[in-house]
Amino acid sequence: MVDWTPDMTRSDKPRYLAIAEAIAEDIGNGRLSAGDRLPPQRQLAARLAVDFTTVARGYVEAQRRGLVE
């Protein structure tokens, strides 16, 4: 598991979309790579001080975009 925390300060979109976009951006810049495991949803929610469902929706959106499995 990668100790990954997205930068949510640069997005004015809903937080779940900001999470998906941060995943895409960090894949693009090499911060995340194939085989890396994202933090558990509850752990990331606590780090970001958001609801668990927000992170869950962000991960689902990233999966829909083909960024994660």
Side-chain angles (χ1 to χ4, degrees):
M1 177 181 61
V2 175
D3 188 25
W4 178 78
T5 303
D7 180 3
M8 305 284 285
T9 61
R10 296 181 304 197
S11 179
D12 59 350
K13 295 184 179 181
R15 291 183 182 193
Y16 80 96
L17 290 176
I19 291 169
E21 289 178 2
I23 291 170
E25 183 178 317
D26 286 348
I27 288 171
N29 67 25
R31 190 168 172 214
L32 292 172
S33 58
D36 286 345
R37 292 179 56 114
L38 294 173
Q41 295 171 9
R42 291 189 192 284
Q43 182 182 24
L44 186 59
R47 269 193 228 160
L48 297 175
V50 298
D51 194 74
F52 164 80
T53 57
T54 300
V55 175
R57 286 180 71 190
Y59 280 15
V60 166
E61 179 64 21
Q63 184 178 26
R64 187 188 70 74
R65 296 180 187 188
L67 301 169
V68 298
E69 294 182 345

